[in-house]
Amino acid sequence: MELELVTIGNELLLGFTLNTNAAELARALAEAGVRVARHTTVGDDPAAIEAAVRQGLQRSGFVITSGGLGPTRDDVTKRSVAEIFDARLELDRGYLKELERRFKGFGIGRMPESNRSQAEVPRGATVLRNPWGTAPGLWLEGPLGGVIMLPGVPRELRGLLEAEVVPRLQTRAGERSGRVTRSRVLRTTGRSESALADTLEGVADRIAPLTLAFLPSPEGVDLRLTAWQMGQQEAIAALAAGVDTILPSLGACYYGEGDIDLAALVIDLLARKGPRLAVAESCTGGMIGQRITAIPGASAVFVGGVVAYSNAVKASALGVPEALVEEHGAVSEAVARAMATGVAERLGAEASIAVTGVAGPEGGTPQKPVGSVWLAARLNGREKVRGRVFPGSRGDVRLRAAQAGLDLLRRLLVERNGPESGEQP
Amino acid sequence: MELELVTIGNELLLGFTLNTNAAELARALAEAGVRVARHTTVGDDPAAIEAAVRQGLQRSGFVITSGGLGPTRDDVTKRSVAEIFDARLELDRGYLKELERRFKGFGIGRMPESNRSQAEVPRGATVLRNPWGTAPGLWLEGPLGGVIMLPGVPRELRGLLEAEVVPRLQTRAGERSGRVTRSRVLRTTGRSESALADTLEGVADRIAPLTLAFLPSPEGVDLRLTAWQMGQQEAIAALAAGVDTILPSLGACYYGEGDIDLAALVIDLLARKGPRLAVAESCTGGMIGQRITAIPGASAVFVGGVVAYSNAVKASALGVPEALVEEHGAVSEAVARAMATGVAERLGAEASIAVTGVAGPEGGTPQKPVGSVWLAARLNGREKVRGRVFPGSRGDVRLRAAQAGLDLLRRLLVERNGPESGEQP
């Protein structure tokens, strides 16, 4: 199956907003075996929307739009598409009732008048429920082809895609061709892109026709294997063989697949093994705590943390002796160890992570340049400590430090209780 | 002047790469007074490229392409556009010599054969020098209109845009019209999109021909005023008048312009007024501390924080009496107040923010549904407390809670020492 995307919004056309929706749609559709043939962006302008959707229908017979459904945009997309299909807008009383109920639930009381128009749908359209927002998705088919209208708010678009659109398209596409494009992503951290490329030299030939892409970010390097336009079973088998070929070379820097999050993995390992976690953060300023508490259910293992930004707080809240800071400096192995021990004792946890570093742009010295970070992790009395100098901006250094802190505890959690493995320290 | 963008590449169409080039082009062109009427993305496919460029020329008479110029892509864009203009490819000996010289300079020695084709240009095209890469930009005009072909590598695209494309288009657009498109963005928080739309009803008429766009996110609603295709001075004056018209209706929910960050604003206000800041976070788990410490120089005012996720840590690290939690619950006005007082005292700060809430998806009750959050801020003994029920996912609730906590302290900082204003609590 093949279709076109039309993304709508002046802010996209003007370049004020990056078009993440187009990428999100394309990736989700490829997984469902649907090929995106063309992508068009137009402004919030009825004539431009109508022209783009009409041309897309003529070429491909199927169009997905995003944007132009909000109450302040006059529902410009809905009206333009209804025009193409010659379909009148009618009030969907069921949806209106649901909207009113939800506004009551928010404690806002009466629904603003401007939201009422969102319950008007083109005659014959299927309403796709949107619990993440107020504009429903709409699915309209007729002699000209099919149009799926989705809201432009990324969270709502993603929700509707997963819950409503992809499952229906998957069924439809599978029936027609049976060919899909599938990927698997192996996540690594602690090794650079060029080091990984050297490690995996020659592997591209061995896994052909799969392709291998390196996707570096401050969190590490993701490796994406892709099977292009294969039968579904064939793609699954080829990807499994490709992963088996690559994994042995990755060692402990591989931590999981897909969109797995390192913080979620650490929480999961802790929940299975029992110890509770506390964190002591200096240069990351709360980022590790924030990542951990982003995971639903973190409260089962995470008791809390201390953001010890000033040296006074390192002393008062974590019991780091002032003499230690004076002798070694706040960014040092000794202070990282003392922070990890202090936070575990003070907050009553068996596991802890501590980070202290120079995030920059100021504060670097020849001995401790910007990017210098000391990390410590403790687990039931065992300990790992690492010193690193991370490249990049203040933001990058902080992201890398938070990831490295979580990774240090992960390595403690997955190692047997013996000595450290031969992994690069 | 008006034109269309055609961005080319399978990785864009598949969503593996975010289309930053389209946004970059659109912004640079708007500043130069050029309006982007439509943006199309196609894959590395000669027929699709030819169709997209041809249609763009028919509609607008001018097209800028990016991508499909590299040696590994068979210069697919150059060949397709040459086809449209019926222009033969000819070797540009000057450019070939320069390329060979540069490859020597790289220390690579002989130029790979695949790069030789980059010196072939459509007859009649102007070669735009690209010192950032090997594929030159190409500018071709004929009876059908004009096409500018730019490489897809973002650094090269940006360089060519600034050095070659924008100055020429500016001259051309200026000669024709002297018109530019300019925007100003007003940031608000604490009021919903529909409430703002109701507040600003009728304002759109008063600020015409400026347009007003509502851009909602968990941080609040941004209002973008845009002056389309006006003379530069006229645009600046119209935007200033538009801002003056809107600002009085916004009241205290307006906090700044452009890409100002609320955490940076709070740090700045604290630095000017003197008090040091500490934060106590429960459901946000470190997010406020992380946002504050993302700002370079935060250490001048921020001493640190406590992530009091468990009730035991609320008691041990913040001195929140266990009886208070038992009586009112951890998510309550009383506990938020006690957290704000406790963290200021324990960490030695004159200003503090405290947040406690139910981020979900579990943990809601009929009395305290998911999204219920209590916020408190203190400043030199004065205090503000708010209870809210935020909509959205766990992530949304946390983002909204962190923003609302920062906003509460901002309101304390900007208010005179008198009683609270009439702003919605």
Side-chain angles (χ1 to χ4, degrees):
Chain A
M1 183 183 181
E2 189 176 289
L3 54 72
E4 297 198 10
L5 303 180
V6 177
T7 53
I8 294 153
N10 289 336
E11 70 281 8
L12 297 173
L13 204 56
L14 287 163
F16 290 137
T17 303
L18 263 183
N19 204 332
T20 55
N21 284 353
E24 181 107 24
L25 278 159
R27 281 197 308 266
L29 293 168
E31 295 268 333
V34 176
R35 202 179 91 82
V36 173
R38 184 193 280 231
H39 162 219
T40 305
T41 304
V42 292
D44 296 307
D45 163 19
I49 296 169
E50 201 185 315
V53 172
R54 219 183 259 283
Q55 289 154 11
L57 285 172
Q58 281 160 7
R59 280 186 298 259
S60 310
F62 213 102
V63 170
I64 297 183
T65 70
S66 82
L69 289 183
T72 57
R73 304 272 174 103
D74 298 324
D75 299 309
V76 69
T77 302
K78 184 165 72 185
R79 286 170 206 287
S80 303
V81 173
E83 195 80 22
I84 296 173
F85 283 81
D86 207 8
R88 258 189 28 186
L89 291 182
E90 293 176 343
L91 189 68
D92 184 321
R93 288 187 191 282
Y95 199 78
L96 181 66
K97 278 226 173 96
E98 187 186 327
L99 268 187
E100 286 171 342
R101 199 165 48 236
R102 281 161 59 191
F103 269 89
K104 258 192 207 136
F106 293 157
I108 300 173
R110 268 199 61 207
M111 186 177 78
E113 197 51 38
S114 50
N115 284 94
R116 190 184 155 90
S117 70
Q118 300 193 299
E120 290 175 2
V121 308
R123 170 172 250 169
T126 304
V127 174
L128 308 176
R129 280 198 70 241
N130 172 10
W132 308 272
T134 54
L138 295 167
W139 186 312
L140 197 55
E141 295 202 50
L144 298 171
V147 177
I148 306 173
M149 290 166 262
L150 299 175
V153 180
R155 182 179 74 247
E156 302 179 21
L157 178 93
R158 192 173 310 132
L160 277 163
L161 256 181
E162 281 175 18
E164 303 282 350
V165 177
V166 165
R168 293 173 201 227
L169 286 177
Q170 216 153 16
T171 312
R172 190 183 281 228
E175 283 162 8
R176 291 206 186 153
S177 83
R179 291 199 166 260
V180 299
T181 295
R182 282 277 157 88
S183 292
R184 280 176 72 175
V185 172
L186 307 179
R187 308 206 74 177
T188 75
T189 191
R191 216 182 283 176
S192 72
E193 182 183 3
S194 37
L196 276 172
D198 288 353
T199 304
L200 295 176
E201 223 201 303
V203 96
D205 298 333
R206 281 188 283 145
I207 62 167
L210 299 183
T211 58
L212 177 64
F214 291 74
L215 312 169
S217 80
E219 289 190 1
V221 179
D222 290 345
L223 302 169
R224 190 179 57 234
L225 284 87
T226 306
W228 301 90
Q229 295 292 307
M230 293 186 186
Q232 184 160 312
Q233 290 314 313
E234 185 195 358
I236 290 169
L239 286 169
V243 168
D244 286 348
T245 306
I246 288 176
L247 268 190
S249 314
L250 299 181
C253 75
Y254 165 78
Y255 64 90
E257 247 202 82
D259 53 6
I260 188 173
D261 173 68
L262 187 56
L265 175 63
V266 165
I267 290 295
D268 188 48
L269 288 168
L270 286 166
R272 278 192 271 151
K273 302 202 171 195
R276 286 162 304 171
L277 172 66
V279 299
E281 306 189 56
S282 183
C283 64
T284 46
M287 192 182 279
I288 298 181
Q290 183 245 304
R291 284 191 57 187
I292 286 167
T293 56
I295 315 302
S299 56
V301 296
F302 181 63
V303 296
V306 170
V307 178
Y309 215 55
S310 73
N311 289 339
V313 171
K314 285 185 186 77
S316 69
L318 295 173
V320 177
E322 283 176 33
L324 207 66
V325 176
E326 268 166 40
E327 191 185 340
H328 300 278
V331 179
S332 61
E333 176 171 356
V335 168
R337 275 186 204 273
M339 287 170 69
T341 310
V343 80
E345 277 172 10
R346 297 274 179 120
L347 268 52
E350 301 77 32
S352 64
I353 299 172
V355 182
T356 178
V358 190
E362 308 291 319
T365 65
Q367 287 75 39
K368 289 176 188 166
V370 166
S372 302
V373 176
W374 278 97
L375 309 141
R378 288 182 69 81
L379 177 66
N380 296 324
R382 288 190 301 135
E383 193 175 58
K384 268 183 192 284
V385 191
R386 295 277 184 278
R388 289 285 169 88
V389 182
F390 292 118
S393 66
R394 178 182 178 88
D396 285 345
V397 169
R398 284 158 43 92
L399 289 168
R400 287 175 199 272
Q403 182 80 349
L406 289 164
D407 193 46
L408 208 54
L409 180 57
R410 173 189 67 92
R411 289 176 188 238
L412 269 178
L413 283 161
V414 296
E415 264 173 20
R416 287 167 208 292
N417 286 9
E420 296 193 6
S421 76
E423 253 306 293
Q424 175 205 356
Chain B
M1 182 180 182
E2 190 177 290
L3 55 72
E4 297 197 10
L5 303 180
V6 177
T7 52
I8 294 153
N10 289 336
E11 72 283 7
L12 296 174
L13 205 56
L14 285 164
F16 289 141
T17 303
L18 262 183
N19 203 332
T20 55
N21 284 352
E24 182 108 24
L25 278 161
R27 281 197 307 267
L29 292 169
E31 293 273 332
V34 176
R35 201 178 93 81
V36 173
R38 185 193 279 231
H39 163 220
T40 305
T41 304
V42 292
D44 297 306
D45 163 18
I49 296 169
E50 200 185 317
V53 172
R54 216 183 262 282
Q55 290 154 11
L57 285 172
Q58 282 160 6
R59 279 186 298 258
S60 310
F62 213 101
V63 171
I64 298 183
T65 70
S66 82
L69 289 182
T72 56
R73 305 269 175 103
D74 299 323
D75 300 308
V76 70
T77 302
K78 185 166 70 186
R79 288 171 205 286
S80 303
V81 173
E83 195 80 21
I84 295 172
F85 282 80
D86 207 8
R88 260 190 26 188
L89 292 182
E90 294 177 341
L91 190 68
D92 182 321
R93 289 190 190 283
Y95 198 77
L96 182 65
K97 278 226 172 96
E98 187 185 328
L99 269 187
E100 286 171 342
R101 201 166 47 237
R102 279 161 61 193
F103 269 90
K104 257 191 208 139
F106 294 155
I108 301 174
R110 268 199 63 208
M111 187 175 77
E113 197 51 37
S114 54
N115 285 93
R116 188 185 157 90
S117 70
Q118 299 193 298
E120 290 174 2
V121 306
R123 171 172 249 167
T126 304
V127 174
L128 308 176
R129 282 197 67 241
N130 172 9
W132 307 273
T134 54
L138 295 168
W139 187 311
L140 196 54
E141 295 202 51
L144 296 171
V147 178
I148 306 173
M149 289 166 263
L150 299 174
V153 181
R155 187 181 67 249
E156 302 179 21
L157 178 92
R158 193 173 309 133
L160 276 163
L161 255 182
E162 281 173 19
E164 302 282 349
V165 177
V166 165
R168 291 172 202 227
L169 286 176
Q170 217 153 17
T171 312
R172 185 184 286 228
E175 281 163 10
R176 289 202 191 155
S177 77
R179 285 170 184 276
V180 299
T181 295
R182 284 278 157 84
S183 290
R184 282 176 71 175
V185 172
L186 307 179
R187 308 206 74 178
T188 76
T189 192
R191 218 182 281 176
S192 73
E193 181 185 4
S194 26
L196 275 172
D198 288 353
T199 303
L200 295 176
E201 222 203 303
V203 98
D205 299 333
R206 281 188 283 144
I207 62 168
L210 299 184
T211 58
L212 177 63
F214 292 72
L215 311 170
S217 80
E219 290 191 0
V221 179
D222 290 344
L223 302 170
R224 193 179 54 236
L225 283 88
T226 306
W228 300 89
Q229 298 290 304
M230 293 186 186
Q232 184 161 312
Q233 290 313 312
E234 185 196 358
I236 290 169
L239 285 169
V243 168
D244 287 347
T245 304
I246 289 176
L247 268 189
S249 315
L250 299 181
C253 75
Y254 165 78
Y255 65 89
E257 247 201 84
D259 52 6
I260 189 172
D261 172 68
L262 187 55
L265 175 63
V266 165
I267 290 295
D268 189 47
L269 288 168
L270 286 167
R272 278 193 272 150
K273 302 200 170 195
R276 287 162 303 171
L277 172 65
V279 299
E281 306 188 57
S282 183
C283 64
T284 46
M287 192 182 277
I288 297 181
Q290 183 247 306
R291 282 191 59 186
I292 285 166
T293 55
I295 315 301
S299 57
V301 296
F302 182 63
V303 296
V306 171
V307 178
Y309 214 56
S310 74
N311 290 339
V313 171
K314 286 185 185 78
S316 69
L318 295 173
V320 177
E322 282 176 34
L324 207 66
V325 176
E326 269 165 39
E327 191 184 341
H328 300 278
V331 178
S332 62
E333 176 171 357
V335 167
R337 276 185 204 274
M339 287 170 68
T341 310
V343 80
E345 277 173 9
R346 298 274 180 119
L347 268 52
E350 300 78 31
S352 64
I353 299 171
V355 181
T356 178
V358 190
E362 307 292 319
T365 65
Q367 288 75 40
K368 288 176 189 168
V370 166
S372 302
V373 176
W374 278 96
L375 308 141
R378 287 182 69 82
L379 177 66
N380 296 322
R382 289 190 301 135
E383 193 176 57
K384 267 183 193 285
V385 191
R386 294 278 185 278
R388 289 284 169 88
V389 182
F390 293 119
S393 66
R394 179 181 178 89
D396 285 345
V397 169
R398 284 158 43 92
L399 289 169
R400 287 175 198 273
Q403 181 80 349
L406 289 164
D407 192 47
L408 209 55
L409 180 57
R410 173 188 68 90
R411 288 176 189 237
L412 270 177
L413 283 161
V414 297
E415 263 173 22
R416 287 167 208 293
N417 287 10
E420 296 191 5
S421 76
E423 252 306 293
Q424 176 205 357

